[in-house]
Amino acid sequence: QDVCATGKTITAGSLTVATGNPAYFPWVIDNDPSSGKGFEAAVAYEIATRMGFAAEKVIWTATSFDQAIQPGAKEFDLNLQQYSISAERDQTVDFSAPYYTAAPAVVVRQPVVDAGATATASSLKGLKWGAAAGTTALALIDALIGPESEVMLYDDTADVTEAMKANQIDATLVDLPTALYLAAAVLDDGVVLGQFPSDATGGLDQFGAVFADGNPLRDCVNEAISAMVSDGTLAKIETEWLEGATGVPMIQ
Amino acid sequence: MQTSAAKNSAGAAIGAAPPGKSRRQERERRLRRRSVIVATISTFVVLLLLVVLIPMAPGWEKVQKAFFNGPILIKVFPELLQAFLVDLMIFAWSAPIIALWGLAIALCRDARGPALFPLRLFAILYNDVFRGVPVILVVYLVGFGIPGLGLPRPWNSPYLWGTVALVLSYSAYVAEVYRAGIESIHESQRSAAKSLGLSHAHTMRYVILPQAIRRVIPANMNNFISLQKDVALLSFIGPVEILRQAGVQKSLLANFTPYLAASIIFLAVTIPATRFADHLIARQNKERS
Amino acid sequence: MQTSAAKNSAGAAIGAAPPGKSRRQERERRLRRRSVIVATISTFVVLLLLVVLIPMAPGWEKVQKAFFNGPILIKVFPELLQAFLVDLMIFAWSAPIIALWGLAIALCRDARGPALFPLRLFAILYNDVFRGVPVILVVYLVGFGIPGLGLPRPWNSPYLWGTVALVLSYSAYVAEVYRAGIESIHESQRSAAKSLGLSHAHTMRYVILPQAIRRVIPANMNNFISLQKDVALLSFIGPVEILRQAGVQKSLLANFTPYLAASIIFLAVTIPATRFADHLIARQNKERS
Amino acid sequence: MKLQLHGIEKSFGALKVCRDISLGVNKGEMVCLIGASGSGKSTLLRCINLLEPIDDGKILLDGVEISDPDLDPQPIRQRIGLVFQSYNLFPHMTVLDNVMLAPRLIHKTSQAELRDQAEALFVRFGLTDRIGHFPDQLSGGQQQRVAIIRALAMKPEIMLFDEVTSALDPELVGEVLDVVRQLKSEGMTMVLATHEMGFAREAADKVCFLEKGMILEEGPPEKIFAAPREARTQEFLRRVL
Amino acid sequence: MKLQLHGIEKSFGALKVCRDISLGVNKGEMVCLIGASGSGKSTLLRCINLLEPIDDGKILLDGVEISDPDLDPQPIRQRIGLVFQSYNLFPHMTVLDNVMLAPRLIHKTSQAELRDQAEALFVRFGLTDRIGHFPDQLSGGQQQRVAIIRALAMKPEIMLFDEVTSALDPELVGEVLDVVRQLKSEGMTMVLATHEMGFAREAADKVCFLEKGMILEEGPPEKIFAAPREARTQEFLRRVL
Ligand SMILES: Nc1ncnc2c1ncn2[C@@H]1O[C@H](COP(=O)(O)OP(=O)(O)OP(=O)(O)O)[C@@H](O)[C@H]1O
Ligand SMILES: Nc1ncnc2c1ncn2[C@@H]1O[C@H](COP(=O)(O)OP(=O)(O)OP(=O)(O)O)[C@@H](O)[C@H]1O
Ligand SMILES: [Mg+2]
Ligand SMILES: [Mg+2]
């Protein structure tokens, strides 16, 4: 075991990694992170290996989205759940260096497209929007789109898609890989209408692992991530698990 | 029982209280003064201890910053108040529907004659099911499930189906309260109406229901106070009412003061309402004994 | 009032019923048979209509697939049952704490003497606050907020603080029920105890409380049935109990049947409990009148 | 004969409350039922009013059987007035509405006419000034008089009284008994269950002593009170007089 | 003199219920309070037992003032027995526990001795076979006798009875009055509020007629019942006798 992580984990000798409950494709395949399949699962094992934890020393746990960003002591060492890094959150919890940069993308259902929705700012304004509360999506929707009607808020992405299926909302804003997954697998007739350029988001599109505030383990993880970036491992994992974003139009 | 007429005349015959204070009155004034002093002092001491001791506890500053953050309170209050209007609106249209539908269920439950047995059965099942399932589960099932079947807008609104969920759950409770009211009317009232030759329907309409409904007003008030609080559960299916708004603010500010602010807003409505209901119940209990 | 002793002796003196059926009995048998037939037929017809007509509605298949999906039901049931054990566990340790703490609050509320005024004030404020704020808000505030202050493990467990939240909310309701029970004991019982020279504490302990607690058992049962359902609210702060488990399954399967399964599990517990409470209440009302 | 009972039987579960009760009441006659608590007086009156179905036997009113279980009891009950020990006024209505409720719902006469008839009854029994009050604003004796007026408003052919003075303070008993006396002088047929032995002795045409659901002894009051035949009757009278 | 009342005043809000009541009761004497409902009989008894604080006046027991508001009323109440119209037994305890509760909590005597004393009382008043029953398994008369035993178990020096027979069926009145007679013959000092004029006339040493909170007339029963002085007394007696 690497000296860096020694004595800094909540269970000595093991690394406790949290993910969503449930954890979604393509971040984790089949809600089973211990298989190492899925982008975040693979990243987690790679980080663990680099910090000197054997695969069987990685303990998985599930937390809700809100739960992980509460202040206070944590039940996990690090939490990978597509958390966007933001200055406000950084006051309560600590973030690792970003392990992925995602463009925000708009997901709708086919009937909305049939009704004339297009990937233009003016068309998007008129749609009925929904998002998961407690994510950065609401801020992004307000900043990037400025919808005309009230934004509906839900506990998590599952409830957002449920509301889309119920036709209660037209569109939601999520990171591109999630968008592709929702459109392909969760919604019968989902369409990724468009994506925003990463530079338009004010830096709200970078995912980092979450730590309890002041957790010294962060530096070890950051070390591992920067090593993964520099030797191209991260890019390799990305191409293995995340689809290319080709064909999704840019929204101006 | 003493009639009020007799009481009044007795009071009038006696006239005003005697001039000067009796020994008892003197002593009572003394006692009262003393107890006011003791109560004030002891309350003051306890409060002082709280105010002095609590901030000395380790971590108090952290607690204060996270829960009792003045600037945040002031900042979020107007928005939360705005969101609370959504709660009030939903309550305003749900409550009368629940009152009527609950009464209908209660009457079904009381339906006589074998041909109406399915009605009775329905009412029994209805009450069992909707009193047995947590409101939040009904909200999810009805609020997401039914619109998910492909209803066109605006018929799939979460406001609509959230309301339906509340109505389904709460009318079961209200129906039980009505039924308890109907059963609490003494059999002798039915006997008296029957002995005059009134039909079952007339007895219900003119003799039993007017008394029963009046009698269960306090119990029903408690149901409606609960309803006012459970309106917040609709936030789980989309409407940005006060609970959701507080949650959003909490996430944004990473601070629990918005929840505290929401609690304060709820208390401003529920405390007077609960107090009033308690008062009605106490009066009723007194009358009964 | 007729004493049971007298009733028994009258009954015994009269002996067995006469042999053969009286005219009335004959007719009643006829009537009963007819109403059973009518009830059976009408129920049957209604059920038949439901079974035949509902599936003919457009979208029925969709509804069936989304809500009443047999294979999914069978698949998720064991996991949900497993998760329900968490609910039962939380309930099992919360309920006795609530019962005791609620009684303590009720007694504070009843404390006499000016020096105890702060205690009385505390009980009043406590009840007002925790009856006024939605349980879910208390769960969020206490369950997320307090651990968020930086308590070390295991003192930040959501089970611990979720339980505290439930205890805070429900003990206020339970305390009010106890208080109503104490007040429902007729003043004459206090008079009788006082006239024998008993002190206030003795009167409470030996005369009032034993009667009051027994009398409010049904009302308290209703509180505990609500508690059993509100345990599900702890899912919002982490514990994977039945509601969260159903939500997870719903997300994974994109189907509402897990919620239905959860409802069925709740009903299996709450219907018998509610029925029993209703039965106790009905018996009590009968005794009272 | 106005009212005839033939072999009335009535049980509550295993408890037999009326046992082979036969009794005739002539027009304008007043019959008093006396007996210990639980002897079945109230139950018998409720059976006559069809509030309780009888198990066996027959009840005839003007020679027509009214106890036939296939008959609709409503119109029959309208012909028989019943006044209860506990008044049983409807507390949510004024005294006048109490009296007018049943006539208004059942008789198709005009509102004004019904009101006149009701007011006439209030005048007759000296309660004119209480007409707009609610029952709990009246004394017990006044409430009981209103209950009698309410029964009379349906123009019954026979009146049944079930211990109408038992719930009253001793001082108020007289005013209610005066009403009963007045009805008797007007020729009303009446059956009374009562504990007021003095009144029974003075006013009744016939007294029946009930014991465990049976009429143990009946006859004119002079005979029953002066020379009771049965040992049980003697014992009862010794205790209560 | 055992008990002395001097100018007792008592109001409930604006309603004055006792007005300048003075009364003396000698040892072994039995005083009956009569008067219409609401005349203040119960309130006066409750005042003597210190259940209601008096507004003015003095109550002396064996010449010592017990109405001093600074005294602890508990030990004084133990010396005065009070029996209520509605028995007020504790329904959740057996009859024996009802009787033994107060002695057990207050007297420091041994458990066995207290039980013997209680059982002796049950024997004395013929209730031995009911000792393990609950109050609602007893008839009204039996319950009232238990209530009297419960008061006697505290070995009071004076007994107050508040219409102890009013809630009883006429047939059960006798057995309770017999108990009171027995107590009198044993020399107990007693004050009774009662509607049983026959009993008052026969057994009382002194009768007080209360009217609107005042003692309007008092004297030996022969005088009060045979030749009442006041018009109001005459009227009351005419009505209830
Ligand atoms: N609805 C009922 N169900 C069961 N038992 C009943 C019912 N009504 C009356 N009884 C019983 O029938 C018996 C006769 O009661 P009833 O009221 O007729 O007596 P009563 O002579 O009127 O007595 P009282 O003088 O107390 O009014 C009693 O033992 C009573 O308990
Ligand atoms: N606690 C109380 N608060 C207010 N008024 C009261 C209270 N107790 C009694 N009263 C009133 O005081 C008056 C006298 O009541 P009290 O019970 O002493 O009369 P009483 O002579 O015992 O009558 P009864 O024969 O009906 O028992 C009544 O008008 C009654 O309403
Ligand atoms: Mg009766
Ligand atoms: Mg009294």
Side-chain angles (χ1 to χ4, degrees):
Chain A
Q1 189 175 339
D2 191 322
V3 254
C4 181
T6 306
K8 295 176 182 167
T9 57
I10 56 170
T11 310
S14 299
L15 184 68
T16 309
V17 185
T19 180
N21 186 16
Y24 291 104
F25 184 96
W27 312 102
V28 172
I29 310 293
D30 290 339
N31 194 24
D32 178 16
S34 59
S35 66
K37 291 182 177 159
F39 177 73
E40 281 177 349
V43 167
Y45 276 108
E46 185 62 34
I47 292 174
T49 311
R50 282 171 195 258
M51 290 198 302
F53 295 96
E56 64 272 14
K57 290 291 180 189
V58 175
I59 303 166
W60 289 94
T61 175
T63 62
S64 74
F65 202 92
D66 275 1
Q67 228 178 323
I69 52 172
Q70 296 312 311
K74 303 292 182 211
E75 300 291 319
F76 50 80
D77 291 315
L78 71 161
N79 193 328
L80 289 99
Q81 205 177 143
Q82 308 106 59
Y83 288 109
S84 300
I85 300 167
S86 84
E88 276 145 344
R89 287 176 172 179
D90 203 22
Q91 292 176 355
T92 349
V93 294
D94 274 347
F95 285 101
S96 70
Y99 58 84
Y100 181 69
T101 300
V106 176
V107 181
V108 296
R109 286 169 63 225
Q110 190 57 45
V112 178
V113 179
D114 296 343
T118 57
T120 59
S122 60
S123 169
L124 293 179
K125 263 189 203 311
L127 297 181
K128 183 84 185 150
W129 286 84
T135 70
T136 51
L138 179 61
L140 285 173
I141 291 171
D142 281 339
L144 298 174
I145 299 156
E148 284 157 5
S149 58
E150 166 205 18
V151 179
M152 294 293 197
L153 294 176
Y154 303 88
D155 261 21
D156 51 24
T157 314
D159 284 356
V160 175
T161 49
E162 219 50 68
M164 287 179 80
K165 286 189 212 164
N167 198 22
Q168 290 168 326
I169 54 174
D170 295 324
T172 188
L173 193 73
V174 288
D175 58 82
L176 187 57
T178 300
L180 291 169
Y181 165 66
L182 293 182
V186 177
L187 298 163
D188 291 341
D189 46 5
V191 176
V192 180
L193 196 59
Q195 57 176 319
F196 286 94
S198 304
D199 55 8
T201 62
L204 287 177
D205 54 348
Q206 294 189 311
F207 292 171
V210 165
F211 303 87
D213 204 17
N215 187 343
L217 190 66
R218 183 175 74 147
D219 297 331
C220 313
V221 172
N222 279 350
E223 213 176 280
I225 291 177
S226 63
M228 284 160 66
V229 172
S230 52
D231 68 10
T233 320
L234 193 59
K236 224 179 77 206
I237 297 174
E238 193 176 319
T239 38
E240 182 181 356
W241 295 109
L242 301 182
E243 275 181 62
T246 46
V248 177
M250 280 293 167
I251 301 166
Q252 304 311 317
Chain B
M1 208 191 70
Q2 187 76 11
T3 70
S4 61
K7 252 186 223 156
N8 290 344
S9 70
I14 290 150
K21 298 246 184 291
S22 71
R23 196 167 58 141
R24 173 93 212 155
Q25 282 171 317
E26 265 308 326
R27 189 184 132 79
E28 290 214 321
R29 258 204 27 231
R30 236 171 39 233
L31 257 184
R32 207 159 32 235
R33 199 171 330 129
R34 207 183 62 191
S35 53
V36 168
I37 293 171
V38 173
T40 313
I41 291 179
S42 60
T43 312
F44 197 75
V45 168
V46 170
L47 285 183
L48 203 76
L49 285 180
L50 290 179
V51 169
V52 170
L53 287 186
I54 286 187
M56 283 167 64
W60 162 245
E61 236 169 84
K62 234 171 147 180
V63 175
Q64 195 190 21
K65 227 183 94 196
F67 287 94
F68 308 101
N69 196 318
I72 289 187
L73 189 72
I74 292 166
K75 193 179 136 191
V76 299
F77 211 82
E79 274 178 75
L80 289 180
L81 219 49
Q82 190 73 27
F84 191 58
L85 286 183
V86 176
D87 293 77
L88 291 181
M89 237 167 49
I90 296 174
F91 177 78
W93 66 60
S94 309
I97 304 176
I98 287 168
L100 289 177
W101 179 233
L103 185 59
I105 299 283
L107 290 176
C108 282
R109 182 89 197 243
D110 216 57
R112 309 232 163 159
L116 298 180
F117 181 71
L119 218 57
R120 217 151 57 239
L121 192 70
F122 160 75
I124 291 171
L125 286 179
Y126 183 95
N127 279 354
D128 274 355
V129 168
F130 288 108
R131 288 198 300 159
V133 179
V135 179
I136 180 76
L137 212 48
V138 178
V139 167
Y140 270 128
L141 263 174
V142 172
F144 275 151
I146 295 184
L149 299 175
L151 291 171
R153 237 176 278 180
W155 300 111
N156 64 356
S157 152
Y159 291 96
L160 174 63
W161 292 103
T163 304
V164 169
L166 291 179
V167 169
L168 286 173
S169 278
Y170 270 87
S171 57
Y173 289 97
V174 168
E176 279 303 307
V177 167
Y178 280 132
R179 197 167 75 99
I182 290 171
E183 280 173 7
S184 80
I185 303 301
H186 199 270
E187 190 52 38
S188 64
Q189 289 281 318
R190 259 180 225 264
S191 282
K194 267 167 112 183
S195 81
L196 289 169
L198 295 192
S199 65
H200 175 67
H202 275 158
T203 304
M204 203 49 156
R205 164 104 172 65
Y206 293 100
V207 177
I208 307 297
L209 275 190
Q211 295 185 61
I213 291 177
R214 204 168 310 176
R215 192 171 293 182
V216 297
I217 285 174
N220 259 340
M221 267 201 71
N222 275 336
N223 271 334
F224 284 110
I225 293 166
S226 294
L227 171 66
Q228 173 59 58
K229 292 186 286 171
D230 274 355
V231 166
L233 296 182
L234 292 203
S235 64
F236 292 107
I237 57 167
V240 183
E241 52 68 69
I242 187 166
L243 186 65
R244 175 63 72 201
Q245 186 68 36
V248 169
Q249 300 284 0
K250 178 214 71 179
S251 298
L252 282 180
L253 304 168
N255 190 295
F256 288 96
T257 312
Y259 280 142
L260 189 79
S263 302
I264 293 172
I265 293 174
F266 270 105
L267 289 177
V269 172
T270 49
I271 288 185
T274 321
R275 278 300 172 86
F276 186 59
D278 286 354
H279 163 76
L280 290 181
I281 289 174
R283 207 178 60 188
Q284 207 169 55
N285 283 343
K286 218 186 239 162
E287 274 167 14
R288 210 187 259 183
S289 62
Chain C
M1 209 190 69
Q2 189 74 12
T3 71
S4 61
K7 251 186 224 157
N8 290 343
S9 71
I14 289 150
K21 297 242 184 290
S22 70
R23 195 168 60 143
R24 172 91 213 157
Q25 283 172 317
E26 265 308 326
R27 188 184 133 78
E28 290 214 322
R29 259 205 28 230
R30 239 174 35 235
L31 258 184
R32 213 167 17 241
R33 198 170 331 129
R34 207 182 64 191
S35 53
V36 167
I37 293 171
V38 173
T40 313
I41 291 179
S42 60
T43 312
F44 198 75
V45 168
V46 170
L47 285 183
L48 203 75
L49 286 179
L50 290 178
V51 170
V52 171
L53 286 186
I54 285 187
M56 284 168 63
W60 163 245
E61 236 169 84
K62 235 171 143 179
V63 176
Q64 196 190 19
K65 227 183 93 197
F67 287 94
F68 307 100
N69 197 317
I72 288 187
L73 190 72
I74 292 166
K75 192 178 138 192
V76 299
F77 212 82
E79 274 179 75
L80 289 180
L81 219 49
Q82 190 73 29
F84 191 59
L85 287 183
V86 176
D87 293 77
L88 292 182
M89 235 166 51
I90 296 174
F91 177 79
W93 69 56
S94 308
I97 303 177
I98 289 168
L100 289 178
W101 180 232
L103 185 59
I105 299 284
L107 291 176
C108 282
R109 183 87 197 244
D110 217 58
R112 309 233 162 156
L116 298 180
F117 181 72
L119 218 57
R120 215 150 59 240
L121 191 71
F122 160 75
I124 292 172
L125 287 178
Y126 183 95
N127 279 355
D128 275 354
V129 167
F130 288 107
R131 288 196 303 160
V133 178
V135 180
I136 179 80
L137 211 49
V138 178
V139 168
Y140 273 130
L141 260 175
V142 173
F144 274 157
I146 296 185
L149 297 175
L151 291 173
R153 280 207 305 168
W155 300 110
N156 64 354
S157 151
Y159 289 95
L160 174 64
W161 292 102
T163 304
V164 169
L166 292 179
V167 169
L168 287 173
S169 279
Y170 271 87
S171 57
Y173 289 96
V174 168
E176 280 304 307
V177 167
Y178 281 132
R179 196 167 76 98
I182 290 170
E183 280 173 7
S184 80
I185 302 300
H186 199 272
E187 190 52 37
S188 64
Q189 289 282 318
R190 259 180 225 262
S191 282
K194 267 167 112 182
S195 80
L196 290 169
L198 295 193
S199 65
H200 176 66
H202 276 157
T203 303
M204 204 46 156
R205 163 102 174 66
Y206 293 101
V207 177
I208 308 297
L209 277 189
Q211 296 184 62
I213 291 179
R214 205 169 308 177
R215 192 173 291 182
V216 297
I217 285 174
N220 260 339
M221 267 202 70
N222 276 336
N223 271 334
F224 285 110
I225 293 166
S226 294
L227 171 67
Q228 173 59 60
K229 291 186 286 172
D230 274 356
V231 167
L233 296 181
L234 292 204
S235 65
F236 293 109
I237 57 165
V240 183
E241 52 66 71
I242 187 167
L243 188 66
R244 170 66 61 195
Q245 186 66 34
V248 169
Q249 299 285 1
K250 178 214 72 180
S251 301
L252 288 178
L253 305 168
N255 189 295
F256 286 98
T257 312
Y259 280 143
L260 189 79
S263 303
I264 292 172
I265 292 174
F266 269 105
L267 290 177
V269 172
T270 50
I271 289 185
T274 322
R275 278 302 172 83
F276 186 59
D278 286 354
H279 162 77
L280 289 181
I281 290 174
R283 208 179 56 186
Q284 205 168 58
N285 283 342
K286 216 186 241 163
E287 274 167 15
R288 213 187 257 184
S289 64
Chain D
M1 220 169 252
K2 188 68 195 167
L3 175 74
Q4 283 166 285
L5 309 182
H6 290 300
I8 305 293
E9 302 273 349
K10 174 74 194 170
S11 309
F12 290 114
L15 180 69
K16 234 174 172 184
V17 183
C18 295
R19 294 202 274 174
D20 192 23
I21 291 192
S22 297
L23 179 67
V25 184
N26 286 316
K27 199 165 161 49
E29 213 177 31
M30 171 163 148
V31 174
C32 281
L33 309 175
I34 63 171
S37 183
S39 56
K41 305 182 296 295
S42 301
T43 306
L44 184 59
L45 293 180
R46 292 174 62 88
C47 286
I48 299 173
N49 194 244
L50 307 185
L51 284 176
E52 299 285 356
I54 54 174
D55 296 338
D56 217 343
K58 279 185 181 178
I59 304 172
L60 306 184
L61 188 63
D62 283 334
V64 180
E65 184 184 353
I66 59 171
S67 54
D68 182 346
D70 290 312
L71 286 178
D72 178 8
Q74 254 171 257
I76 299 167
R77 288 198 195 114
Q78 291 161 22
R79 297 167 58 198
I80 306 173
L82 173 56
V83 184
F84 303 85
Q85 170 172 351
S86 48
Y87 337 138
N88 299 358
L89 294 181
F90 306 135
H92 59 297
M93 297 178 180
T94 63
V95 157
L96 182 64
D97 288 335
N98 260 279
V99 170
M100 284 177 62
L101 178 68
R104 186 145 56 193
L105 291 175
I106 291 161
H107 299 326
K108 297 283 162 248
T109 332
S110 86
Q111 190 71 10
E113 196 172 319
L114 285 172
R115 203 190 147 96
D116 287 347
Q117 288 173 1
E119 281 180 351
L121 282 168
F122 279 98
V123 173
R124 197 164 124 208
F125 297 105
L127 278 172
T128 339
D129 53 331
R130 294 292 175 197
I131 221 161
H133 287 59
F134 283 88
D136 63 3
Q137 297 173 310
L138 268 60
S139 74
Q142 291 171 332
Q143 288 191 54
Q144 192 58 290
R145 277 145 71 200
V146 172
I148 296 174
I149 292 177
R150 184 174 67 176
L152 289 174
M154 291 302 291
K155 306 205 183 83
E157 303 164 24
I158 179 168
M159 287 284 284
L160 313 176
F161 294 88
D162 186 8
E163 297 187 28
V164 286
T165 59
S166 295
L168 300 180
D169 283 323
E171 285 193 279
L172 303 175
V173 168
E175 62 183 69
V176 173
L177 292 182
D178 283 344
V179 170
V180 178
R181 274 192 202 94
Q182 187 177 343
L183 284 176
K184 183 169 159 59
S185 73
E186 291 166 5
M188 177 62 79
T189 315
M190 290 184 283
V191 182
L192 275 83
T194 187
H195 279 308
E196 296 287 328
M197 297 303 152
F199 179 77
R201 174 182 246 161
E202 161 217 327
D205 295 307
K206 177 153 67 180
V207 173
C208 300
F209 175 68
L210 264 75
E211 169 75 5
K212 289 190 182 150
M214 277 190 295
I215 299 187
L216 210 64
E217 192 162 359
E218 62 173 296
E222 313 83 56
K223 222 191 96 212
I224 298 281
F225 285 102
R229 202 181 57 231
E230 301 285 331
R232 180 66 194 123
T233 320
Q234 289 164 14
E235 189 197 338
F236 175 77
L237 289 174
R238 207 190 54 236
R239 286 213 207 173
V240 298
L241 279 183
Chain E
M1 219 169 251
K2 188 71 195 166
L3 175 75
Q4 281 166 287
L5 309 182
H6 290 300
I8 305 292
E9 301 273 348
K10 173 73 194 173
S11 309
F12 291 114
L15 180 69
K16 235 177 171 184
V17 183
C18 296
R19 293 201 275 175
D20 191 22
I21 290 191
S22 298
L23 179 67
V25 184
N26 286 315
K27 195 160 165 53
E29 214 179 31
M30 171 163 149
V31 174
C32 280
L33 309 175
I34 64 171
S37 183
S39 56
K41 304 183 293 296
S42 301
T43 306
L44 184 58
L45 294 181
R46 292 173 62 88
C47 286
I48 298 175
N49 195 243
L50 308 185
L51 284 176
E52 300 284 355
I54 55 174
D55 296 338
D56 216 344
K58 279 186 183 177
I59 305 172
L60 308 184
L61 189 64
D62 282 335
V64 179
E65 184 181 354
I66 58 171
S67 55
D68 181 345
D70 290 311
L71 287 178
D72 177 9
Q74 252 171 261
I76 298 167
R77 288 199 196 112
Q78 292 162 20
R79 297 168 59 197
I80 306 172
L82 174 56
V83 184
F84 303 85
Q85 170 172 350
S86 47
Y87 337 138
N88 299 358
L89 294 181
F90 306 134
H92 59 298
M93 296 179 183
T94 62
V95 157
L96 182 65
D97 288 336
N98 260 279
V99 170
M100 284 178 61
L101 178 67
R104 186 144 54 194
L105 292 174
I106 292 161
H107 299 326
K108 296 283 163 250
T109 332
S110 85
Q111 189 71 11
E113 197 171 320
L114 285 173
R115 203 189 147 97
D116 287 346
Q117 289 172 1
E119 281 181 352
L121 283 167
F122 279 98
V123 172
R124 196 163 125 206
F125 296 104
L127 278 171
T128 338
D129 53 330
R130 294 291 174 196
I131 221 161
H133 288 59
F134 283 88
D136 64 2
Q137 297 173 312
L138 268 60
S139 75
Q142 290 170 332
Q143 289 191 54
Q144 193 58 290
R145 276 147 68 201
V146 172
I148 296 175
I149 291 176
R150 184 175 65 177
L152 289 174
M154 290 301 291
K155 307 207 181 81
E157 304 163 23
I158 179 170
M159 287 282 288
L160 313 175
F161 295 86
D162 187 6
E163 296 187 27
V164 285
T165 59
S166 295
L168 299 180
D169 283 324
E171 285 192 278
L172 303 176
V173 168
E175 62 185 69
V176 173
L177 291 182
D178 284 344
V179 170
V180 178
R181 272 190 205 97
Q182 188 177 341
L183 284 177
K184 184 171 156 56
S185 73
E186 292 168 5
M188 177 62 80
T189 315
M190 291 186 282
V191 183
L192 275 83
T194 187
H195 280 308
E196 296 288 329
M197 296 304 152
F199 180 77
R201 175 182 246 159
E202 160 217 327
D205 295 305
K206 176 154 69 178
V207 173
C208 300
F209 175 67
L210 264 75
E211 169 76 6
K212 289 188 183 147
M214 276 189 297
I215 298 187
L216 211 63
E217 194 163 357
E218 63 174 292
E222 313 82 57
K223 222 190 97 210
I224 299 280
F225 286 102
R229 203 180 58 230
E230 302 285 332
R232 181 61 197 126
T233 320
Q234 289 163 15
E235 188 196 338
F236 174 77
L237 289 173
R238 208 188 56 239
R239 285 214 206 170
V240 297
L241 279 184

